[in-house]
Amino acid sequence: MDIDDYEDFDSSGSRLTCPGESLTSSQAYMRGHGTYVDSEEVIASVAGTIERVNKLVTVRAIRSRYNPEVGDLVVGRITEVQPRRWKVDAHSRQDAVLMLSSVNLPGGVQRRKLESDELQMRGFFEEGDLLVAEVQAFFSDGAMSLHTRSLKYGKLRNGQLVAVPPILVRRLKSHFLTLPCGVDLILGLNGYIWVSKHVKASEQEGEEGFDAEAVYSNVNDEIDEATRTAISRVTHVIRVLTSHFIPLTDTLLLEAYEWTVEQETNVRDLFQQDFGDALVASITVGR
Amino acid sequence: MASTTSLSKAEKSYIQAGLLANPPTRGDGRSAQDFRTISLQTSVAPLANGSARVSIGRDPHDGSGGTEVLAATKLEVESVDLGSGSGGVNGGRVMCSVTCSPAAYPHLSSAALDDLQYDLTTILNSTLTHPSLHPKNLTILPGKKSWLLNLDLVVLVDSGNVFDALFLAARAALWDTKVPRTRSVEYKARKAGGGGEGGEKGDMEVDEEVVSGFDTRQIRHATDFELPDYWDEGEELDGRDRWPVCVTLNLVPPAHFLDATLEEEAAIPLRLLLMFSFDSDEPHIQGMRTMGNGELTVPQLGELLKEGEKYARQIWQSLNAKLKEEELGRIKERNKF
Amino acid sequence: MAQNVFDRRRTNGPEESTPFIYEEDISNPVRPQETCRKGRKPADIRPIFLQPGLINQAAGSAYIEMDRTKIACAIYGPRQSKNVAFHEKGRLNVEVKFAPYSCLTRRAPMRDAEDRSVAMALHQALLASVRLESFPKATIDIFITVIETDGMEGCVAAGSIAASTALAHAGIEVLGLVMSCSAAAMGSEVWLDPTDEESRLSNGTLVLSCMPALTTVTSVWQTGRMAPNQALSCMVASQNRCDDIHTIVAQALLLDNSKSNQENL
């Protein structure tokens, strides 16, 4: 069961393994995630695909909790309000932490934190709120520290949430997608996807005169029926792709959405199994 | 019942605005009266006298998601004598209980889960054990032994609309229930022989002879019973057509909608549960309950009763069609041998 | 039945207890074929005795007697919710306790499912009337003690009247007083405020809780077999009767208020 036996290992595709299977008995290999060392043998500890980079052997599990990296974009939900910080559920091993000093305060991006801000934290985010943020750093215990210090981050409104397995969200150049039907998508790397009505860039607040009323408000805009239908359609497409375990990328989502529009079916027909199968077949035909 | 799904205010108002719009739109594109796909199977628990499994809204491809409920009936023999301490009642009893699998509610503590079980049990019990639905063939020996019908339901997964699923599963399981046929048996004491009638009576034991069970001509004082045919499943439960179906109307006045998902239930807390039974020419209400924080007027309730009757009738007809189909399938299976 | 459970903390009574059978009940039972109600008209409810302010240490309290239903209600709060996450609106916590001597057969002193089902019904009846947004992070505890009961429907009806009176007595902001009335469908007639025996003989029963001042309904609980229009007529009859009960409760509260005003002067 030695990796050295397979010379063209890297090019022939990945190999699957299960926990307890010995990967290599060589001292020369370093072990990575998903493996452990037991008396000079590197043994897999999860069920997944073996990846080898030079002398490093890792096993990547097919389904696992979201593993955060610095710079990741995540969509989370506030679970607790604590002194000068919020606890955010980001579908990971631990709740993430959002410090009060890491959010934009009304009156300008550079405004200093006042004591009254500490006492009015629920005026910014309260329990149950959804937000999009970026992972800034890690605490020593492995909890993420988030920040929303950009105008494109912050509280989410005008839409609905879809939860998918985190492994299906690929790292892309931009996680803010706009579909032509007037629907915005935010693909959180932790598996939470926010589907909402499109907000034109020109309508977003500028750097000056940062309007807290608007950014931290809970009030939705007027959303017409066409946009709502489009949002439901996109939600369905995501669910179908997820149940067939297809990784989500912007081009794929766009293709799938256009295919359903071409079919001119009602959104509720997407519930049917054969419809979902046909959708997936049409997408994967091009690959 | 507190909702365990957490939603932001923006999400809640998105759902509410969608439902109040004209025409109403829902998060997954369904119309206000659309149900998700319901799948039902009977006789899923071989050791039970009757069983059924219902799932609402399960993903057809990988079988995940959706609300799933399993119901099974088990018949036990009970003593009707008051002195023996058992709760037996002449004519038999029906007892209903709902258990919630902790896997279905991972966010609830065990005390909260117990409370939820109590609440679901109360609603099902008060509706299904009412004397108006009591089956008549639960007596074994009048005044001595009767059947206790235990209806146990388990909520395996909850994705909203758990009451409709519970009542569907209960009705299907009770429809599927077969009560074993019993035959009364009498013990006759053998009379003492001619001699020894004088003083030796005290020493003589009175033999208990079991009369052959095949002699069913004269059972004057039946004291016990037996199953005439061990392998016979038995007869249908009496009045199996009476068990009601439930339709939950989620109310966002002036509109209402059916088959809510968890998010919709969290955003719209007020609902009306209606249990209907269409076994006779006239429809009958077998139960009604309001739940959640909200106010209604009596005229509104009247309107909702009319609408609910229509929806319940559709559910009733589809359920009956499915149950007949399941029964035919089972008879074919049995007749294969 | 909890009778078979041995409670080590108490001196247990006998496991089995059977009620006395009174001669008058044998000679005058209510028969299902009888269309005439004994002792009162179908639309009559039994006389109500209501006294607010029975329990001094509670923030608000009330005691109600409706013939053979006797319930005491005590309200504590609003007080800070301990050990619970932040909640923007107040919480209502209803706890019901049946005294062991309250029913014909002795009840075990332990809490069981029936306590909780009555508590749930009362919670549903009162929830819409209380202005929860006026006390965030706080809870109102409503403790109901049933001293004697004559049927579950009567218990829920009397309990909600007592609780509503106690809420008003405690000075908690409510949108209106909640009144409840139970009804039984006997053949084609509607009998209001049925006794335990009458409800057992009926086809079905219905308990309606409403706020007569606002003419809105907060809770409906119907069991048994009824035609939809019969259920509707039960509701209408109950609602009309609730208007009368409301007058009684308002009088009792005003009387109690004026008495305390006189004492203060």
Side-chain angles (χ1 to χ4, degrees):
Chain A
M1 204 69 70
D2 212 9
I3 297 184
D4 298 332
D5 294 346
Y6 301 88
E7 284 304 325
D8 54 341
F9 173 66
D10 291 84
S11 54
S12 66
S14 32
R15 232 187 72 214
L16 294 175
T17 181
C18 65
E21 197 174 307
S22 166
L23 300 174
T24 166
S25 51
S26 172
Q27 279 268 17
Y29 281 92
M30 272 195 315
R31 67 159 208 89
H33 290 301
T35 61
Y36 65 96
V37 172
D38 183 29
S39 56
E40 294 191 17
E41 278 196 346
V42 177
I43 303 177
S45 63
V46 291
T49 50
I50 305 176
E51 285 168 359
R52 197 192 80 158
V53 176
N54 253 350
K55 298 271 183 223
L56 177 70
V57 183
T58 63
V59 181
R60 194 162 54 99
I62 296 170
R63 295 180 48 181
S64 70
R65 266 324 214 181
Y66 165 59
N67 282 321
E69 308 277 331
V70 174
D72 277 357
L73 184 124
V74 295
V75 171
R77 197 187 285 279
I78 305 278
T79 54
E80 268 180 68
V81 178
Q82 289 179 352
R84 288 193 300 279
R85 70 183 63 187
W86 290 274
K87 285 285 198 179
V88 180
D89 161 40
H91 210 199
S92 181
R93 288 187 196 91
Q94 282 192 60
D95 280 352
V97 174
L98 177 65
M99 307 292 298
L100 179 58
S101 46
S102 309
V103 306
N104 281 327
L105 299 168
V109 185
Q110 304 302 324
R111 183 169 81 86
R112 284 185 69 92
K113 185 160 58 80
L114 300 172
E115 204 171 308
S116 56
D117 294 329
E118 287 180 35
L119 300 172
Q120 287 298 317
M121 285 180 68
R122 284 202 174 81
F124 303 127
F125 294 111
E126 54 177 348
E127 286 89 345
D129 277 345
L130 277 172
L131 53 90
V132 57
E134 194 182 322
V135 179
Q136 187 177 46
F138 286 103
F139 287 96
S140 52
D141 58 359
M144 296 182 261
S145 175
L146 305 174
H147 79 90
T148 60
R149 276 205 173 276
S150 166
L151 289 165
K152 46 188 172 91
Y153 301 144
K155 203 184 265 203
L156 295 172
R157 65 182 73 79
N158 294 331
Q160 57 190 28
L161 188 74
V162 189
V164 309
I167 207 169
L168 294 179
V169 183
R170 294 265 183 250
R171 284 205 164 78
L172 305 165
K173 222 169 30 174
S174 167
H175 286 260
F176 294 89
L177 308 174
T178 304
L179 295 178
C181 46
V183 173
D184 268 351
L185 274 172
I186 302 181
L187 298 168
L189 280 156
N190 57 341
Y192 285 165
I193 299 179
W194 180 252
V195 188
S196 66
K197 170 182 163 211
H198 177 61
V199 170
K200 291 197 243 309
S202 58
E203 280 174 31
Q204 278 172 359
E205 288 70 35
E207 287 286 328
E208 312 301 328
F210 182 77
D211 187 6
E213 287 287 319
V215 174
Y216 289 117
S217 111
N218 287 318
V219 178
N220 289 338
D221 304 333
E222 280 286 322
I223 309 177
D224 61 347
E225 195 204 332
T227 317
R228 278 182 192 274
T229 318
I231 293 178
S232 321
R233 208 183 276 276
V234 174
T235 308
H236 259 300
V237 165
I238 295 176
R239 289 224 176 94
V240 167
L241 292 175
T242 312
S243 72
H244 289 256
F245 222 74
I246 297 174
L248 301 169
T249 58
D250 43 356
T251 43
L252 201 67
L253 282 166
L254 200 57
E255 243 183 83
Y257 180 78
E258 277 167 3
W259 188 85
T260 60
V261 169
E262 268 169 46
Q263 301 299 311
E264 290 182 7
T265 48
N266 274 328
V267 183
R268 63 183 316 277
D269 292 340
L270 283 163
F271 276 112
Q272 308 300 326
Q273 180 168 8
D274 39 1
F275 201 85
D277 291 342
L279 168 64
V280 170
S282 77
I283 306 279
T284 48
V285 106
R287 291 161 208 283
Chain B
M1 241 162 290
S3 163
T4 47
T5 321
S6 175
L7 284 186
S8 70
K9 292 202 174 91
E11 283 175 289
K12 283 189 189 151
S13 67
Y14 179 81
I15 295 176
Q16 285 162 358
L19 289 160
L20 288 169
N22 197 2
T25 46
R26 291 165 77 166
D28 48 8
R30 285 184 286 155
S31 79
Q33 281 92 29
D34 273 341
F35 259 79
R36 293 168 283 179
T37 319
I38 304 180
S39 85
L40 179 135
Q41 296 154 285
T42 52
S43 308
V44 292
L47 294 174
N49 295 93
S51 55
R53 187 186 186 121
V54 169
S55 71
I56 302 183
R58 190 169 46 187
D59 189 317
H61 183 76
D62 56 2
S64 67
T67 298
E68 214 166 304
V69 170
L70 188 53
T73 55
K74 200 98 174 95
L75 291 160
E76 279 174 56
V77 180
E78 259 193 331
S79 230
V80 179
D81 305 325
L82 283 172
S84 63
S86 80
V89 166
N90 209 3
R93 300 198 276 157
V94 177
M95 259 179 43
C96 186
S97 82
V98 180
T99 331
C100 296
S101 156
Y105 300 97
H107 304 292
L108 288 185
S109 68
S110 73
L113 199 66
D114 270 344
D115 284 344
L116 181 63
Q117 280 176 179
Y118 262 167
D119 295 341
L120 295 175
T121 303
T122 305
I123 295 185
L124 264 101
N125 220 1
S126 65
T127 309
L128 295 176
T129 58
H130 195 267
S132 59
L133 290 171
H134 190 85
K136 296 191 185 58
N137 57 347
L138 289 182
T139 308
I140 307 174
L141 296 175
K144 289 203 178 59
K145 296 231 185 276
S146 62
W147 288 115
L148 163 64
L149 178 73
N150 284 308
L151 172 63
D152 298 300
L153 299 114
V154 181
V155 178
L156 297 166
V157 189
D158 185 359
S159 299
N161 205 17
V162 71
F163 283 107
D164 290 7
L166 283 167
F167 276 94
L168 278 173
R171 181 173 156 85
L174 289 161
W175 181 280
D176 190 47
T177 302
K178 298 281 187 281
V179 181
R181 281 178 244 264
T182 60
R183 186 166 50 207
S184 313
V185 148
E186 183 184 359
Y187 291 118
K188 279 210 188 88
R190 192 170 51 194
K191 286 211 170 50
E197 248 181 84
E200 296 164 77
K201 232 195 213 166
D203 300 341
M204 226 167 199
E205 291 165 9
V206 177
D207 273 1
E208 293 242 337
E209 188 186 5
V210 178
V211 174
S212 159
F214 293 119
D215 183 8
T216 52
R217 284 167 297 170
Q218 293 173 33
I219 306 288
R220 268 182 293 260
H221 310 287
T223 46
D224 206 349
F225 70 96
E226 61 178 17
L227 301 176
D229 183 355
Y230 187 73
W231 297 109
D232 176 32
E233 280 185 332
E235 53 184 18
E236 303 169 353
L237 195 61
D238 168 65
R240 67 178 188 165
D241 204 30
R242 284 200 293 261
W243 305 105
V245 292
C246 172
V247 59
T248 307
L249 287 102
N250 303 277
L251 307 172
V252 47
H256 62 267
F257 63 99
L258 304 178
D259 193 18
T261 59
L262 280 177
E263 291 82 19
E264 287 169 337
E265 281 181 353
I268 314 281
L270 181 63
R271 20 188 182 149
L272 177 66
L273 269 70
L274 292 169
M275 290 67 139
F276 275 97
S277 178
F278 297 93
D279 56 315
S280 62
D281 302 323
E282 295 294 317
H284 288 279
I285 298 189
Q286 223 36 76
M288 171 161 56
R289 258 209 99 143
T290 49
M291 294 178 81
N293 192 345
E295 295 160 46
L296 294 166
T297 61
V298 173
Q300 272 177 333
L301 278 166
E303 279 300 313
L304 291 167
L305 276 175
K306 285 204 202 82
E307 302 284 317
E309 192 189 310
K310 275 189 279 179
Y311 304 136
R313 201 184 282 274
Q314 287 171 354
I315 299 174
W316 179 273
Q317 284 163 347
S318 333
L319 179 62
N320 279 0
K322 178 68 181 170
L323 287 173
K324 289 211 165 57
E325 192 188 308
E326 289 274 316
E327 206 164 288
L328 284 173
R330 264 192 38 198
I331 294 177
K332 273 199 210 125
E333 276 287 321
R334 230 183 322 143
N335 291 343
K336 262 199 243 174
F337 299 99
Chain C
M1 283 272 133
Q3 286 166 332
N4 298 332
V5 179
F6 196 69
D7 187 356
R8 271 195 281 272
R9 294 165 295 175
R10 295 184 169 89
T11 310
N12 285 277
E15 277 180 19
E16 275 287 319
S17 74
T18 41
F20 296 135
I21 304 174
Y22 293 96
E23 199 185 304
E24 62 192 13
D25 291 334
I26 301 179
S27 45
N28 305 330
V30 179
R31 291 195 199 291
Q33 298 89 355
E34 280 188 12
T35 47
C36 206
R37 198 179 192 184
K38 278 196 176 348
R40 40 185 173 128
K41 293 207 283 287
D44 278 351
I45 57 171
R46 287 168 287 180
I48 300 178
F49 169 78
L50 182 64
Q51 173 71 49
L54 185 74
I55 303 167
N56 281 331
Q57 60 265 48
S61 59
Y63 173 73
I64 189 169
E65 262 187 42
M66 285 172 81
D67 196 24
R68 277 184 287 180
T69 307
K70 299 178 174 70
I71 295 182
C73 172
I75 294 196
Y76 290 86
R79 10 180 221 194
Q80 173 94 22
S81 308
K82 301 226 168 0
N83 309 327
V84 177
F86 171 84
H87 43 99
E88 219 178 11
K89 293 199 178 153
R91 283 230 174 109
L92 206 62
N93 176 33
V94 181
E95 283 185 30
V96 174
K97 188 103 182 61
F98 281 82
Y101 43 81
S102 57
C103 303
L104 272 182
T105 50
R106 180 180 174 272
R107 292 177 72 100
M110 283 166 277
R111 203 173 158 246
D112 66 8
E114 207 167 11
D115 292 355
R116 192 176 156 81
S117 68
V118 175
M120 204 167 70
L122 288 175
H123 180 92
Q124 177 62 34
L126 297 165
L127 190 61
S129 74
V130 184
R131 290 198 60 201
L132 295 170
E133 56 273 7
S134 63
F135 49 97
K137 302 199 264 193
T139 310
I140 292 182
D141 289 311
I142 303 182
F143 299 118
I144 304 263
T145 312
V146 181
I147 298 167
E148 191 182 344
T149 176
D150 183 22
M152 215 37 58
E153 295 82 22
C155 194
V156 172
S160 59
I161 300 174
S164 201
T165 315
L167 280 170
H169 183 252
I172 293 168
E173 286 197 47
V174 289
L175 296 172
L177 292 171
V178 175
M179 298 296 131
S180 292
C181 189
S182 53
M186 294 289 232
S188 57
E189 281 192 346
V190 171
W191 288 8
L192 291 180
D193 194 19
T195 64
D196 195 23
E197 226 181 325
E198 286 170 350
S199 49
R200 260 183 290 125
L201 290 167
S202 68
N203 308 333
T205 55
L206 183 142
V207 182
L208 180 102
S209 306
C210 62
M211 286 194 276
L214 307 174
T215 65
T216 56
V217 171
T218 57
S219 163
V220 181
W221 190 354
Q222 185 265 343
T223 50
R225 197 175 172 81
M226 279 189 215
N229 48 2
Q230 205 176 22
L232 211 56
S233 45
C234 284
M235 284 195 267
V236 172
S238 300
Q239 195 180 34
N240 290 338
R241 189 53 74 224
C242 283
D243 290 342
D244 302 327
I245 304 177
H246 187 264
T247 329
I248 300 173
V249 174
Q251 258 176 14
L253 281 170
L254 290 171
L255 203 62
D256 183 67
N257 240 336
S258 62
K259 239 194 328 191
S260 11
N261 274 345
Q262 276 182 355
E263 282 165 15
N264 285 342
L265 290 170

